[in-house]
Amino acid sequence: MLKIGLTGGIGCGKTTVTNLFVAHNIPVIDADEIAHQLVEPGQPALEHIKTAFGTDFVSVEGVLDRKKMRDCIFSDNYAKKKLEAILHPLVYSGLQSKLTQLHAPYCIICVPLLFETQMESIADRILVVDCSVAQQIERVKKRENMSAEKIQAIINSQIARDIRLSKADDIINNAETENNLAHQVKKLHQLYISLSTL
Ligand code: ATP
């Protein structure tokens, strides 16, 4: 099965594009979803987090204080690396295990931090969803209550747009309206179907 790694910066339109592939009956697996499940109460990763970060981060009921953790890793690069060292190998094996359950000509593996986490090798081909930084800020601001400064800081923590684009096999240009996406996805769907039979 051909594996397409879909990535892009915050608010570039990964979810919107992914939904269009789903409409073509293409299975999607999502690294963020796996990362989220890994820190559900009772999951082994939570015990590692408790050991590495202290009991302050996990309630007595075993629930991770996600906001505290987000704030911590945002302001402390060492803490960020420590959390990544716990989660990334588990996310990678979680993706691998989901892949073995799929039956389709190709699938989409959505990994927002594909390059930042050096997970490129999980995919045969890389698809980048792209728009300008100004559009990322405008769209995320509209979607949720986050300041432009915070969004910019997240963008700064991600790989630079030009480097991300230089690593792409395929690019979806999401600079126009959402209506412009369906046609681009359809063309890529046809390409991936043709590559999958090679
Ligand atoms: P994140 O990295 O935060 O998970 P994402 O890359 O998955 O974001 P989406 O959630 O798909 O991005 O899109 C971000 C927001 O921008 C959403 O509210 C979406 O509806 C909106 N959006 C996506 N594409 C466009 C577009 N072409 N024009 C206007 N708004 C758009």
Side-chain angles (χ1 to χ4, degrees), residues 8-17 32 112 139-140 143-144 174-178 181:
I10 180 172
C12 277
K14 297 176 294 295
T15 307
T16 311
V17 166
D32 276 359
R139 291 172 187 173
V140 175
R143 184 184 63 188
E144 65 201 89
N174 192 18
E176 309 298 329
T177 65
E178 282 188 43
L181 295 172

Side-chain angles (χ1 to χ4, degrees), residues 21-136:
F21 279 103
V22 170
H24 285 280
N25 288 322
I26 294 305
V28 172
I29 55 180
D30 187 323
D32 276 359
E33 203 177 294
I34 292 175
H36 208 268
Q37 287 164 359
L38 282 172
V39 292
E40 292 287 323
Q43 291 297 313
L46 212 54
E47 277 309 306
H48 294 169
I49 291 172
K50 218 154 88 177
T51 310
F53 288 86
T55 46
D56 278 8
F57 285 82
V58 184
S59 76
V60 278
E61 293 81 23
V63 178
L64 176 70
D65 188 335
R66 289 174 193 269
K67 184 177 180 311
K68 195 179 169 89
M69 183 55 81
R70 250 196 324 267
D71 291 346
C72 169
I73 60 169
F74 208 72
S75 57
D76 178 349
N77 204 40
Y78 175 69
K80 183 167 177 260
K81 296 263 174 255
K82 206 160 66 168
L83 182 67
E84 285 172 356
I86 296 170
L87 290 182
H88 289 171
L90 296 170
V91 170
Y92 194 88
S93 50
L95 288 171
Q96 293 286 11
S97 129
K98 289 213 172 207
L99 279 170
T100 62
Q101 296 160 23
L102 298 181
H103 301 282
Y106 76 93
C107 69
I108 301 288
I109 311 172
C110 184
V111 189
L113 300 176
L114 184 73
F115 303 119
E116 294 85 342
T117 58
Q118 283 103 38
M119 280 201 208
E120 292 108 302
S121 65
I122 201 155
D124 302 309
R125 206 172 164 93
I126 292 171
L127 168 59
V128 168
V129 183
D130 179 67
C131 67
S132 72
V133 167
Q135 285 169 318
Q136 286 178 268

